[in-house]
Amino acid sequence: MFIIDNVVLIRLSFFLSIFSLMAIWEVFAPRRKLTASKKIRWFNNVTLILLNSMLVRWLFPLAAVSAALWSVEHNWGLLSIFGIPQWLSGLSAIVILDFTIYMQHVFFHKILFFWRFHRMHHTDLDIDVTTGARFHPVEIMLSMVIKIAVVIILGAPVWSVIAFEILLNATSMFNHGNIFISQRYDRILRTILVTPDMHRVHHSVLIKETDSNFGFNLSLWDRIFSTYRNQPERGHVEMTIGLANYRDKKWLILPWMLAVPFSKIYR
């Protein structure tokens, strides 16, 4: 099958296309003025992205897609047991996987062990397209194990796993983008999707705002579980991005970024 044989190339093509689009959008219609050196942030964030990509390829070849193939070959999973049609089981799998990422995100904030690794994502002093993939390698590995487990339990169709991986990657870059969208269109979009203005609240230095808007793709989870916050208290232009106790710009440098989980600083 062409898609399965070329899944890495397909995902890379989508990643580069969305990344380029968002980067150009940020230049011509930025939402906020950046507070730290863009060169330093981009060099270290992109280096981390490349490091994570190599680790995933080495430790989890094809990862969740391989898990889906295994499930299909062994007729395994809840969706196959209940005999749900392929198109419906695929859509269901995408929605359930999106809910899984929402819950994972909540747990990574609430449980100290996971927060140690996830907080590196929040030590960025600005938020833009590169922040969308700025995750500690250990968090990436933990997230991959969770996704593989859910894919196997569900018996998710292969096409839905590929679609979800592309969707998750694309929406993460989109909702972290430093891009301007008018309030009118933002209001319409966020009835379904997590918009940059909605997710930016989550990167606020104020803890009550950091612990809100956990969704990455569908906005409904935050509304259902009462973790939704409409706007930042200080507004999008004046709000402070990051964590209160990680204001030193050394935390923007890769070795220090990787050391965040082992820092005695909590937030």
Side-chain angles (χ1 to χ4, degrees):
M1 185 177 178
F2 176 82
I3 294 178
I4 296 175
D5 292 339
N6 295 277
V7 64
V8 175
L9 180 60
I10 292 170
R11 288 188 60 189
L12 181 61
S13 298
F14 272 98
F15 173 82
L16 293 176
S17 298
I18 301 298
F19 186 93
S20 300
L21 174 63
M22 297 305 299
I24 293 170
W25 193 343
E26 289 179 345
V27 170
F28 290 99
R31 184 66 165 99
R32 290 167 46 90
K33 183 178 180 180
L34 300 179
T35 61
S37 168
K38 186 173 181 177
K39 287 183 179 179
I40 292 175
R41 288 183 57 259
W42 272 54
F43 175 79
N44 288 278
N45 286 356
V46 172
T47 301
L48 178 63
I49 293 169
L50 294 174
L51 172 64
N52 284 336
S53 298
M54 289 188 291
L55 281 174
V56 169
R57 289 289 296 149
W58 178 49
L59 294 174
F60 299 96
L62 291 185
V65 176
S66 293
L69 284 168
W70 182 89
S71 297
V72 170
E73 290 173 1
H74 292 80
N75 196 31
W76 180 271
L78 296 175
L79 295 175
S80 60
I81 290 174
F82 292 116
I84 300 174
Q86 271 285 314
W87 69 269
L88 183 56
S89 63
L91 291 177
S92 299
I94 290 173
V95 173
I96 293 170
L97 282 166
D98 192 67
F99 173 64
T100 300
I101 296 300
Y102 166 83
M103 291 304 301
Q104 171 192 300
H105 198 177
V106 173
F107 289 144
F108 276 32
H109 273 252
K110 303 300 182 182
I111 301 174
L112 179 58
F113 173 78
F114 296 122
W115 170 249
R116 283 186 173 277
F117 296 99
H118 180 65
R119 67 185 173 190
M120 192 214 73
H121 178 65
H122 286 269
T123 58
D124 206 345
L125 298 179
D126 288 306
I127 178 171
D128 63 18
V129 63
T130 64
T131 313
R134 185 190 195 268
F135 295 96
H136 196 281
V138 174
E139 179 177 0
I140 293 291
M141 299 302 116
L142 291 169
S143 180
M144 190 59 66
V145 170
I146 293 169
K147 277 191 289 185
I148 289 173
V150 173
V151 166
I152 292 174
I153 291 170
L154 291 176
V158 177
W159 71 265
S160 68
V161 176
I162 295 173
F164 176 74
E165 293 279 29
I166 292 172
L167 192 61
L168 179 64
N169 204 258
T171 53
S172 183
M173 287 188 285
F174 170 69
N175 61 45
H176 284 88
N178 181 32
I179 57 175
F180 177 81
I181 298 177
S182 70
Q183 287 188 354
R184 177 188 176 188
Y185 290 116
D186 177 85
R187 190 163 50 248
I188 294 170
L189 279 173
R190 73 165 66 186
T191 57
I192 300 173
L193 300 175
V194 176
T195 65
D197 273 13
M198 178 178 166
H199 189 72
R200 192 177 298 107
V201 178
H202 179 72
H203 282 262
S204 166
V205 75
L206 301 179
I207 294 176
K208 64 183 179 181
E209 294 182 350
T210 308
D211 290 338
S212 69
N213 295 7
F214 294 100
F216 267 80
N217 179 26
L218 299 175
S219 62
L220 66 94
W221 309 122
D222 282 299
R223 300 177 193 276
I224 291 174
F225 295 99
S226 301
T227 54
Y228 176 72
R229 186 174 291 272
N230 187 31
Q231 299 294 335
E233 186 177 286
R234 300 173 184 171
H236 288 281
V237 175
E238 298 299 326
M239 68 182 290
T240 301
I241 299 295
L243 298 176
N245 294 318
Y246 284 88
R247 309 312 300 171
D248 192 320
K249 292 184 179 180
K250 73 180 184 181
W251 299 110
L252 301 177
I253 308 301
L254 186 59
W256 285 101
M257 289 161 61
L258 296 175
V260 166
F262 313 103
S263 165
K264 293 181 180 180
I265 305 171
Y266 178 58
R267 282 191 184 263

